[in-house]
Amino acid sequence: MLSLVEKLFSWLMTGFLAVFTIFFNMYLLLINYRSYRKKHKMNPADFIITGLSMSSISQQVLAYTWQTMDVIDAVCRLGTVEAVFLVLTFSFKFIIFWTTAFLIFYYGTKLVVEPVHCYTRIQEAIVKHVHTVLAVIFVSGLVNCVPLLSVLTYHNGTTDLGDCGSIMPSDVNGRIYVFYYVTISDIIPGIVMVKCSISISYHLAKHLQDMKASTNGAHGPKLGTQMRVIKMTLCLVCVYLCFVAADIYTQMTVVLQRQNTLAFMVLFGSIYTAVSAFVLVYGKKSYWKELIASYNLFLDEFPCLSKLKVDEASCPQPKTIDYLKTEGWVCKEF
């Protein structure tokens, strides 16, 4: 069981991370909204990122609210309300993971184009119906987590429970459901991400090798904006794998060892949403340049902080773009 000091530490850290999570995700939402106002449409990648940002903000607010109630409500007068907030937190975590996997899948289909592929038509069908797929993800996240209310163990006067609602199922059906939730929310989207990242990495290495051979090593191959997107997708996968290992371990300690460490599980989720939001902003060149410009403009109001300015370096398009087009890489701004 977590002590009061550990709960307070997790609560404070979650609140600190919530500031960064909401800031970066609100920035993404505002940028996409401005783009929609100008073009009167939103490309699929921006639409997926918008859904991911909204889910991250909602999950962060729900998680911090649950932790606040868990710390303040020591006698569990609002046990049912806390249980609902906890279930909604897990629901949005499900949505965030699957939306991230869908985003990486989308970038994978756009970055790597193969004329012959065993499921090319399936990929094309999924990409063409981005709005429908995202709606299915949102509905599935809520539907799959509703049974969690029956699995929660409530504070009933015993001394072995430190929280009002804990995922500590004592029956076989409850444990089966928890393992089902871990599989469908953590493992399966992770498999999708790893598959897409392997495909992108393989074709990236292959094309870089071909490009280096075609130039006789005269200069290092460059991909410009596409390389930035590739780094973003691979970084998102690495961040997810690090988080999912900690998340699965924490859930197993809760279910199998009956140690109520849900506060740390929520803290790990806050770290993941904050880091992934930063990676999304940095991965989009236009987003990052505008954020740096706004940051420097803000520092202009305070001359004493002028040393904290960040150089706004411009990156010209490389001459190898035409070659990439002929080799199967889609070269455009994502």
Side-chain angles (χ1 to χ4, degrees):
M1 299 298 173
L2 297 180
S3 63
L4 181 60
V5 176
E6 291 173 330
K7 287 185 179 181
L8 288 174
F9 171 78
S10 177
W11 177 56
L12 293 174
M13 286 299 299
T14 302
F16 177 75
L17 292 169
V19 176
F20 290 94
T21 300
I22 294 175
F23 171 77
F24 285 117
N25 283 288
M26 284 298 299
Y27 175 75
L28 289 171
L29 288 176
L30 292 174
I31 292 294
N32 289 334
Y33 176 73
R34 187 187 64 184
S35 176
Y36 175 78
R37 289 285 301 273
K38 289 182 179 180
K39 302 177 182 179
H40 299 287
K41 64 178 181 178
M42 189 177 295
N43 62 56
D46 289 342
F47 187 80
I48 299 173
I49 292 175
T50 299
L52 181 60
S53 299
M54 294 176 63
S55 301
S56 299
I57 294 174
S58 301
Q59 194 267 350
Q60 191 65 67
V61 172
L62 290 169
Y64 188 69
T65 304
W66 175 81
Q67 278 200 335
T68 303
M69 297 176 67
D70 184 55
V71 172
I72 296 176
D73 188 19
V75 295
C76 298
R77 294 180 178 178
L78 302 174
T80 304
V81 178
E82 294 181 34
V84 172
F85 273 101
L86 185 60
V87 170
L88 290 175
T89 300
F90 277 85
S91 299
F92 277 100
K93 188 180 75 169
F94 177 98
I95 295 171
I96 290 170
F97 289 171
W98 272 103
T99 307
T100 305
F102 185 36
L103 179 64
I104 295 174
F105 172 83
Y106 174 82
Y107 279 136
T109 58
K110 292 299 181 182
L111 287 170
V112 180
V113 178
E114 295 225 359
V116 179
H117 207 285
C118 59
Y119 52 89
T120 302
R121 294 183 178 179
I122 299 177
Q123 289 179 321
E124 292 177 355
I126 293 175
V127 171
K128 287 181 179 178
H129 299 84
V130 171
H131 301 77
T132 304
V133 174
L134 204 60
V136 171
I137 291 175
F138 271 75
V139 174
S140 300
L142 297 175
V143 171
N144 281 280
C145 294
V146 169
L148 190 61
L149 285 171
S150 62
V151 178
L152 292 175
T153 303
Y154 295 94
H155 184 79
N156 55 5
T158 58
T159 58
D160 60 332
L161 294 177
D163 290 321
C164 303
S166 308
I167 306 177
M168 297 181 179
S170 57
D171 59 331
V172 178
N173 293 332
R175 293 190 177 185
I176 291 175
Y177 170 76
V178 172
F179 281 107
Y180 163 78
Y181 172 80
V182 172
T183 302
I184 197 173
S185 67
D186 291 358
I187 298 177
I188 295 180
I191 294 175
V192 175
M193 294 184 198
V194 172
K195 188 272 173 189
C196 294
S197 65
I198 292 175
S199 178
I200 293 173
S201 300
Y202 170 76
H203 289 280
L204 172 65
K206 182 180 178 181
H207 288 306
L208 289 179
Q209 185 177 6
D210 294 341
M211 290 168 60
K212 188 174 182 180
S214 65
T215 58
N216 297 321
H219 61 81
K222 299 179 182 180
L223 296 178
T225 304
Q226 286 68 44
M227 179 59 79
R228 198 180 187 94
V229 175
I230 293 170
K231 289 180 179 179
M232 179 189 72
T233 55
L234 297 180
C235 187
L236 283 174
V237 175
C238 292
V239 172
Y240 176 81
L241 292 178
C242 293
F243 167 77
V244 78
D247 185 66
I248 292 177
Y249 174 78
T250 307
Q251 293 195 48
M252 293 303 101
T253 59
V254 171
V255 176
L256 299 179
Q257 302 180 12
R258 299 185 63 81
Q259 298 180 7
N260 198 346
T261 56
L262 289 178
F264 281 165
M265 188 186 302
V266 172
L267 176 60
F268 294 150
S270 300
I271 296 174
Y272 171 78
T273 53
V275 175
S276 60
F278 173 79
V279 172
L280 285 173
V281 173
Y282 182 77
K284 300 277 284 187
K285 181 181 178 181
S286 58
Y287 292 0
W288 183 252
K289 290 182 66 176
E290 186 167 350
L291 179 62
I292 295 300
S294 300
Y295 171 76
N296 291 334
L297 185 63
F298 171 77
L299 292 182
D300 287 338
E301 301 295 330
F302 305 94
C304 58
L305 301 178
S306 58
K307 294 183 179 180
L308 299 178
K309 286 187 176 182
V310 179
D311 293 335
E312 301 178 31
S314 59
C315 300
Q317 290 291 334
K319 297 182 179 179
T320 55
I321 293 299
D322 294 334
Y323 176 82
L324 290 174
K325 290 181 181 179
T326 61
E327 290 297 322
W329 287 88
V330 177
C331 301
K332 62 181 181 179
E333 182 73 24
F334 291 90

